[in-house]
PDB file of all heavy atoms in Angstrom:
ATOM      1  N   SER A  72      22.005   4.869  -0.969  1.00 95.00           N
ATOM      2  CA  SER A  72      20.821   5.378  -0.269  1.00 95.00           C
ATOM      3  C   SER A  72      20.350   4.297   0.680  1.00 95.00           C
ATOM      4  O   SER A  72      20.334   3.121   0.324  1.00 95.00           O
ATOM      5  CB  SER A  72      19.686   5.676  -1.263  1.00 95.00           C
ATOM      6  OG  SER A  72      20.078   6.653  -2.182  1.00 95.00           O
ATOM      7  N   TRP A  73      19.976   4.670   1.885  1.00 95.00           N
ATOM      8  CA  TRP A  73      19.455   3.684   2.839  1.00 95.00           C
ATOM      9  C   TRP A  73      18.665   4.406   3.921  1.00 95.00           C
ATOM     10  O   TRP A  73      18.711   5.631   4.043  1.00 95.00           O
ATOM     11  CB  TRP A  73      20.582   2.865   3.469  1.00 95.00           C
ATOM     12  CG  TRP A  73      21.740   3.666   3.998  1.00 95.00           C
ATOM     13  CD1 TRP A  73      22.944   3.880   3.378  1.00 95.00           C
ATOM     14  CD2 TRP A  73      21.791   4.412   5.225  1.00 95.00           C
ATOM     15  NE1 TRP A  73      23.751   4.690   4.145  1.00 95.00           N
ATOM     16  CE2 TRP A  73      23.062   5.027   5.301  1.00 95.00           C
ATOM     17  CE3 TRP A  73      20.905   4.614   6.285  1.00 95.00           C
ATOM     18  CZ2 TRP A  73      23.463   5.837   6.369  1.00 95.00           C
ATOM     19  CZ3 TRP A  73      21.287   5.419   7.362  1.00 95.00           C
ATOM     20  CH2 TRP A  73      22.560   6.022   7.391  1.00 95.00           C
ATOM     21  N   SER A  74      17.906   3.633   4.693  1.00 95.00           N
ATOM     22  CA  SER A  74      17.188   4.211   5.828  1.00 95.00           C
ATOM     23  C   SER A  74      16.987   3.154   6.894  1.00 95.00           C
ATOM     24  O   SER A  74      16.855   1.974   6.595  1.00 95.00           O
ATOM     25  CB  SER A  74      15.825   4.736   5.383  1.00 95.00           C
ATOM     26  OG  SER A  74      15.024   5.043   6.509  1.00 95.00           O
ATOM     27  N   ARG A 112      12.540   8.067  -6.967  1.00 97.00           N
ATOM     28  CA  ARG A 112      12.599   6.674  -6.541  1.00 97.00           C
ATOM     29  C   ARG A 112      13.284   6.542  -5.174  1.00 97.00           C
ATOM     30  O   ARG A 112      12.771   5.884  -4.278  1.00 97.00           O
ATOM     31  CB  ARG A 112      13.330   5.846  -7.607  1.00 97.00           C
ATOM     32  CG  ARG A 112      13.951   4.560  -7.134  1.00 97.00           C
ATOM     33  CD  ARG A 112      12.937   3.481  -6.837  1.00 97.00           C
ATOM     34  NE  ARG A 112      13.602   2.332  -6.203  1.00 97.00           N
ATOM     35  CZ  ARG A 112      13.067   1.151  -6.040  1.00 97.00           C
ATOM     36  NH1 ARG A 112      11.830   0.932  -6.448  1.00 97.00           N
ATOM     37  NH2 ARG A 112      13.730   0.180  -5.478  1.00 97.00           N
ATOM     38  N   HIS A 116      11.373   5.305  -1.886  1.00 97.00           N
ATOM     39  CA  HIS A 116      11.788   3.985  -1.385  1.00 97.00           C
ATOM     40  C   HIS A 116      12.325   4.094   0.047  1.00 97.00           C
ATOM     41  O   HIS A 116      11.849   3.379   0.942  1.00 97.00           O
ATOM     42  CB  HIS A 116      12.847   3.387  -2.319  1.00 97.00           C
ATOM     43  CG  HIS A 116      13.338   2.042  -1.891  1.00 97.00           C
ATOM     44  ND1 HIS A 116      12.750   0.870  -2.306  1.00 97.00           N
ATOM     45  CD2 HIS A 116      14.356   1.677  -1.062  1.00 97.00           C
ATOM     46  CE1 HIS A 116      13.386  -0.156  -1.756  1.00 97.00           C
ATOM     47  NE2 HIS A 116      14.364   0.305  -0.999  1.00 97.00           N
ATOM     48  N   GLU A 117      13.262   4.993   0.286  1.00 97.00           N
ATOM     49  CA  GLU A 117      13.819   5.148   1.640  1.00 97.00           C
ATOM     50  C   GLU A 117      12.737   5.689   2.576  1.00 97.00           C
ATOM     51  O   GLU A 117      12.686   5.347   3.747  1.00 97.00           O
ATOM     52  CB  GLU A 117      15.056   6.057   1.640  1.00 97.00           C
ATOM     53  CG  GLU A 117      16.200   5.631   0.701  1.00 97.00           C
ATOM     54  CD  GLU A 117      16.572   4.159   0.796  1.00 97.00           C
ATOM     55  OE1 GLU A 117      16.332   3.544   1.851  1.00 97.00           O
ATOM     56  OE2 GLU A 117      17.083   3.615  -0.213  1.00 97.00           O
ATOM     57  N   HIS A 120      10.855   2.831   3.895  1.00 96.00           N
ATOM     58  CA  HIS A 120      11.581   2.205   5.014  1.00 96.00           C
ATOM     59  C   HIS A 120      11.346   2.997   6.298  1.00 96.00           C
ATOM     60  O   HIS A 120      11.135   2.429   7.359  1.00 96.00           O
ATOM     61  CB  HIS A 120      13.079   2.163   4.724  1.00 96.00           C
ATOM     62  CG  HIS A 120      13.495   1.103   3.747  1.00 96.00           C
ATOM     63  ND1 HIS A 120      13.027  -0.184   3.816  1.00 96.00           N
ATOM     64  CD2 HIS A 120      14.360   1.128   2.693  1.00 96.00           C
ATOM     65  CE1 HIS A 120      13.584  -0.906   2.838  1.00 96.00           C
ATOM     66  NE2 HIS A 120      14.385  -0.125   2.142  1.00 96.00           N
ATOM     67  N   LYS A 125       9.497  -2.863   4.540  1.00 95.00           N
ATOM     68  CA  LYS A 125      10.726  -3.570   4.158  1.00 95.00           C
ATOM     69  C   LYS A 125      10.666  -3.923   2.670  1.00 95.00           C
ATOM     70  O   LYS A 125       9.719  -3.561   1.989  1.00 95.00           O
ATOM     71  CB  LYS A 125      10.872  -4.824   5.007  1.00 95.00           C
ATOM     72  CG  LYS A 125      11.139  -4.497   6.470  1.00 95.00           C
ATOM     73  CD  LYS A 125      11.313  -5.790   7.229  1.00 95.00           C
ATOM     74  CE  LYS A 125      11.852  -5.571   8.607  1.00 95.00           C
ATOM     75  NZ  LYS A 125      12.093  -6.890   9.236  1.00 95.00           N
ATOM     76  N   HIS A 126      11.677  -4.689   2.199  1.00 96.00           N
ATOM     77  CA  HIS A 126      11.744  -4.938   0.758  1.00 96.00           C
ATOM     78  C   HIS A 126      10.657  -5.898   0.284  1.00 96.00           C
ATOM     79  O   HIS A 126      10.497  -6.986   0.835  1.00 96.00           O
ATOM     80  CB  HIS A 126      13.131  -5.471   0.387  1.00 96.00           C
ATOM     81  CG  HIS A 126      14.158  -4.389   0.435  1.00 96.00           C
ATOM     82  ND1 HIS A 126      15.447  -4.597   0.826  1.00 96.00           N
ATOM     83  CD2 HIS A 126      14.064  -3.071   0.140  1.00 96.00           C
ATOM     84  CE1 HIS A 126      16.115  -3.454   0.773  1.00 96.00           C
ATOM     85  NE2 HIS A 126      15.296  -2.510   0.363  1.00 96.00           N
ATOM     86  N   HIS A 128      10.593  -7.692  -2.371  1.00 96.00           N
ATOM     87  CA  HIS A 128      11.066  -8.989  -2.897  1.00 96.00           C
ATOM     88  C   HIS A 128      11.298 -10.001  -1.771  1.00 96.00           C
ATOM     89  O   HIS A 128      11.500 -11.171  -2.044  1.00 96.00           O
ATOM     90  CB  HIS A 128      12.311  -8.831  -3.779  1.00 96.00           C
ATOM     91  CG  HIS A 128      13.301  -7.820  -3.269  1.00 96.00           C
ATOM     92  ND1 HIS A 128      13.132  -6.483  -3.462  1.00 96.00           N
ATOM     93  CD2 HIS A 128      14.447  -7.959  -2.567  1.00 96.00           C
ATOM     94  CE1 HIS A 128      14.147  -5.832  -2.903  1.00 96.00           C
ATOM     95  NE2 HIS A 128      14.955  -6.694  -2.357  1.00 96.00           N
ATOM     96  N   ASN A 158      20.010  -7.726   1.421  1.00 93.00           N
ATOM     97  CA  ASN A 158      19.170  -6.841   0.620  1.00 93.00           C
ATOM     98  C   ASN A 158      18.346  -7.548  -0.448  1.00 93.00           C
ATOM     99  O   ASN A 158      17.376  -6.988  -0.936  1.00 93.00           O
ATOM    100  CB  ASN A 158      20.025  -5.747  -0.036  1.00 93.00           C
ATOM    101  CG  ASN A 158      20.500  -4.747   0.987  1.00 93.00           C
ATOM    102  OD1 ASN A 158      19.752  -3.871   1.409  1.00 93.00           O
ATOM    103  ND2 ASN A 158      21.730  -4.903   1.428  1.00 93.00           N
ATOM    104  N   MET A 178       8.805  -0.503  -2.959  1.00 96.00           N
ATOM    105  CA  MET A 178       9.760  -1.161  -2.077  1.00 96.00           C
ATOM    106  C   MET A 178      10.463  -2.348  -2.770  1.00 96.00           C
ATOM    107  O   MET A 178      11.233  -3.064  -2.147  1.00 96.00           O
ATOM    108  CB  MET A 178       9.073  -1.656  -0.800  1.00 96.00           C
ATOM    109  CG  MET A 178       8.408  -0.567   0.027  1.00 96.00           C
ATOM    110  SD  MET A 178       9.411   0.921   0.249  1.00 96.00           S
ATOM    111  CE  MET A 178      10.729   0.281   1.273  1.00 96.00           C
ATOM    112  N   TYR A 180      13.095  -3.995  -5.550  1.00 96.00           N
ATOM    113  CA  TYR A 180      14.315  -3.658  -6.290  1.00 96.00           C
ATOM    114  C   TYR A 180      14.122  -3.933  -7.782  1.00 96.00           C
ATOM    115  O   TYR A 180      13.236  -4.684  -8.166  1.00 96.00           O
ATOM    116  CB  TYR A 180      15.472  -4.533  -5.811  1.00 96.00           C
ATOM    117  CG  TYR A 180      16.245  -4.007  -4.624  1.00 96.00           C
ATOM    118  CD1 TYR A 180      15.898  -2.825  -4.001  1.00 96.00           C
ATOM    119  CD2 TYR A 180      17.339  -4.713  -4.147  1.00 96.00           C
ATOM    120  CE1 TYR A 180      16.624  -2.362  -2.910  1.00 96.00           C
ATOM    121  CE2 TYR A 180      18.068  -4.262  -3.053  1.00 96.00           C
ATOM    122  CZ  TYR A 180      17.697  -3.091  -2.435  1.00 96.00           C
ATOM    123  OH  TYR A 180      18.413  -2.659  -1.363  1.00 96.00           O
TER     124      TYR A 180
HETATM  125 ZN1   ZN B 401      15.614  -0.496   0.460  1.00 68.96          ZN
END
Side-chain angles (χ1 to χ4, degrees):
S72 299
W73 48 260
S74 168
R112 157 73 188 193
H116 180 90
E117 304 312 335
H120 284 315
K125 292 182 168 184
H126 286 145
H128 40 280
N158 288 282
M178 300 315 293
Y180 273 1

